[in-house]
Amino acid sequence: MKNPTYRAIYRLTTRIREGMDEARRRPDRGDISTTTVIIWVAAVTGAVLIAGTIAVVISKYNGKLSGL
């Protein structure tokens, strides 16, 4: 009976080998374009700026808004 460590190493190396074979067959698999990264960074930055602006406005006018 093989020990569990041997089996785990065998499965890991088999999985890595299969992944490398797949990458050789399809070299464009999983590539992310620079444009996609720029769009995501811009979207996240915009969302953070909007949330920050809302937080600043709410904190500035918090006392005045409580009487409404």
Side-chain angles (χ1 to χ4, degrees), residues 26-34 36-37:
R26 295 177 21 189
D28 62 341
R29 175 186 66 92
D31 289 347
I32 188 166
S33 70
T34 305
T36 304
V37 172

Side-chain angles (χ1 to χ4, degrees), residues 2-66:
K2 299 175 184 174
N3 68 27
T5 305
Y6 177 78
R7 283 188 297 214
I9 291 172
Y10 178 76
R11 286 193 339 224
L12 180 64
T13 55
T14 302
R15 180 68 181 117
I16 290 172
R17 188 172 295 124
E18 289 171 356
M20 296 298 285
D21 291 342
E22 177 72 15
R24 271 189 229 101
R25 281 194 306 270
R26 295 177 21 189
D28 62 341
R29 175 186 66 92
D31 289 347
I32 188 166
S33 70
T34 305
T35 307
T36 304
V37 172
I38 291 170
I39 291 170
W40 274 102
V41 168
V44 170
T45 302
V48 169
L49 287 174
I50 291 170
T53 303
I54 291 171
V56 167
V57 169
I58 287 176
S59 67
K60 182 176 180 180
Y61 294 105
N62 194 23
K64 295 177 184 176
L65 292 174
S66 64

